[in-house]
Amino acid sequence: MIELLFFAAVAALVGWLMRRKQRQRSTAAVAAGEAAGVPCMLKWSALGSRWRAGRLVIGAGPPVWRASWGRRELALPTDLRRTGTRSPSAREGMSINPGSRILEYASSGGVVLVAVMPDDLDLVGKALESA
């Protein structure tokens, strides 16, 4: 019984922390000029054919993608044109979260795919379209 209460308390704490982080990334915070790092996966034809984990930093200047591993930062092309939004295929679902959504963009540097969770879809879409 004590274990159930302990796990319920831990689950509530984790949920509260995740919700707090999402509020920090909210549209209002980004509109106020605060930088927000949105977890995402990036696949850019100029970088190869693999999905790469990282954060999309938006709100303070042009969008920049930071890799989860290492110190790599990439400035995304400024001429991004949104070509669509879709769910991941079964094969992509093995590399990325199958519950995420993929934003497809075309640019002079090639096709750019950004996979984000549905809660962050509008925030990332607006940030990349306004860049």
Side-chain angles (χ1 to χ4, degrees):
M1 182 68 177
I2 293 174
E3 295 88 6
L4 286 175
L5 291 175
F6 174 74
F7 287 125
V10 169
L13 177 66
V14 169
W16 176 75
L17 289 172
M18 289 177 64
R19 180 70 184 133
R20 189 179 106 195
K21 199 64 163 167
Q22 185 182 13
R23 266 188 270 125
Q24 288 175 347
R25 291 192 307 253
S26 71
T27 308
V30 173
E34 298 174 21
V38 179
C40 69
M41 299 283 286
L42 179 74
K43 185 176 181 180
W44 188 0
S45 58
L47 297 176
S49 62
R50 292 181 45 222
W51 285 99
R52 302 180 193 287
R55 291 188 155 304
L56 188 63
V57 180
I58 54 176
V64 175
W65 179 78
R66 288 189 185 147
S68 291
W69 306 103
R71 301 274 183 216
R72 188 172 189 177
E73 279 193 11
L74 296 172
L76 295 178
T78 57
D79 62 341
L80 291 174
R81 293 177 322 278
R82 191 169 182 175
T83 57
T85 303
R86 62 180 174 85
S87 296
S89 67
R91 183 174 178 171
E92 289 172 327
M94 296 174 76
S95 301
I96 63 175
N97 188 330
S100 64
R101 298 293 173 259
I102 298 174
L103 298 168
E104 299 176 336
Y105 291 93
S107 71
S108 59
V111 175
V112 178
L113 302 176
V114 180
V116 296
M117 294 307 291
D119 294 339
D120 299 322
L121 187 65
D122 292 333
L123 178 65
V124 172
K126 289 175 185 175
L128 290 178
E129 288 171 5
S130 65

